[in-house]
C-alpha cells in the first residue's frame, strides 16, 4: 500500500533551517530568524490571550481573536510545515502552539469526504479559520439526559470532568412522566465555510461536527482552543440517532510543533 502519511504539500526538508538563536555567536554573524505572517498571527493570538487570560473561558475577547484570524493573509508555505495529511484518518490534529499553557492552536487536515464525530468543546472557546478548501459545520442542540433520581440534566452536568456550562437542551428526548427516551439530535443549522472563512463555536451554541464535503480535495483549518480543556480532560462525542454521549480522551496530536508523533 502506498504511504498515506504525507506532508500536505511542501516537504519540510526543503524549507530553510532556522538558527537556534540569533545570539549564538558560535555560528558567526547572527542571522535573524525569518518571521512570516503565520508566526505573527500566532504571536498576536498569544498577546491577546495575555498572561492572565485564558485560564478559564470567561474574560476571553472572542471578537478580537476572530478579528486576528480574519486579518491573517494566508500563505501556504507558512503553515505547511504543520499540515500533515493522513488519508487513513478522517482528519489529523497538528499542534502549532501551546499558547503558554493557556490555549492550543491546531492545524487540522481533513481527508476528502470525511468529518469529525458530533462533539462538545469541553467548556472552551473554539475559533476556526479555513486555510484551504471548504468545510461544512453542522450544529446540533444539546440532548437532555435523565440525571440521578430522574432529575433533568444536560450532558455537561455535574458528572462532567470539567465545569458545566450554561446551555439550552433539546426537549425532544422527553418521554412520559419525566423519563427521557433516546431521540435523534436536533440539527440547528448547517453552514459551509470557504477559504478565508472564520467561525466560532462553544458549548453555549450546542454541539457540532465538521466535515470536508469535497470528494477529492483536502481541506485545512486553523483552530484556537482556549482554555485547552479538551487536551487535558478529553471531551464528549454524541450519537446522532440516540443522543447518547461517550467520553473520549481527545489528547492525540498527530504532530507537535511540526514534528510527527
Ligand atoms: N473540535 C474538533 C475539530 S472540529 O470538528 O471542530 C477537534 O479538535 O478535534
Ligand atoms: Fe469542534
Amino acid at each position: 500500500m502506498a504511504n498515506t502519511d504525507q506532508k500536505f504539500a511542501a516537504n519540510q526538508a526543503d524549507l530553510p533551517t532556522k538558527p537556534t538563536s540569533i545570539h549564538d555567536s558560535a555560528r558567526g554573524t547572527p542571522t535573524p530568524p525569518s518571521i512570516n505572517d503565520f508566526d505573527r498571527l500566532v504571536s498576536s493570538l498569544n498577546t491577546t490571550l495575555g498572561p492572565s487570560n485564558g485560564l478559564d473561558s470567561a474574560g476571553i475577547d472572542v471578537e478580537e481573536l476572530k478579528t486576528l484570524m480574519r486579518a491573517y493573509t494566508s500563505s501556504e508555505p507558512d503553515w505547511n510545515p504543520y499540515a500533515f495529511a493522513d488519508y487513513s484518518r478522517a482528519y489529523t490534529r497538528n499542534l502549532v502552539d501551546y499558547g503558554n499553557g493557556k490555549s492550543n492552536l491546531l492545524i487540522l487536515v481533513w481527508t476528502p469526504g470525511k468529518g469529525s464525530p458530533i462533539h462538545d468543546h469541553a467548556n472552551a472557546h473554539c475559533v476556526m479559520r479555513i486555510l484551504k478548501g471548504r468545510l461544512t459545520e453542522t450544529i446540533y442542540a444539546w440532548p437532555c439526559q435523565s440525571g440521578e433520581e430522574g432529575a433533568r440534566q444536560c450532558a455537561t452536568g455535574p458528572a462532567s470532568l470539567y465545569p458545566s456550562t450554561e446551555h439550552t437542551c433539546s426537549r425532544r428526548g422527553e418521554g412520559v412522566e419525566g423519563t427521557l427516551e433516546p431521540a435523534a439530535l436536533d440539527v440547528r443549522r448547517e453552514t459551509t465555510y470557504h477559504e478565508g472563512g472564520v467561525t466560532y463555536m462553544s458549548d453555549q451554541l450546542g454541539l457540532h461536527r465538521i466535515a470536508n464535503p469535497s470528494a477529492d480535495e483536502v481541506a485545512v483549518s486553523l483552530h484556537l482552543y482556549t482554555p485547552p480543556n479538551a487536551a487535558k480532560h478529553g471531551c464528549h462525542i454524541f450519537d446522532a440517532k440516540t443522543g447518547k454521549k461517550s467520553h473520549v480522551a481527545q489528547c492525540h496530536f498527530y504532530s507537535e510543533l511540526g514534528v510527527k508523533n
Side-chain angles (χ1 to χ4, degrees), residues 138-142 167-170 185-190 203-207:
T138 309
I139 295 190
Y140 301 83
W142 280 89
H167 56 260
T168 54
C169 304
S170 165
L185 293 177
D186 277 334
V187 173
R188 289 220 165 127
R189 67 180 166 88
E190 188 172 286
D203 291 346
Q204 280 77 9
L205 299 179
L207 310 170

Side-chain angles (χ1 to χ4, degrees), residues 91-133:
Y91 67 108
T92 62
R93 309 177 75 248
N94 304 282
L95 185 88
V96 173
D97 192 73
Y98 286 105
N100 298 321
K102 297 186 293 284
S103 61
N104 278 163
L105 187 66
L106 268 65
I107 281 188
L108 273 46
V109 182
W110 302 83
T111 297
K114 303 287 189 196
S116 53
I118 302 169
H119 58 274
D120 66 19
H121 289 84
N123 198 24
H125 300 280
C126 170
V127 181
M128 172 175 97
R129 154 95 191 239
I130 313 293
L131 295 175
K132 191 179 183 78

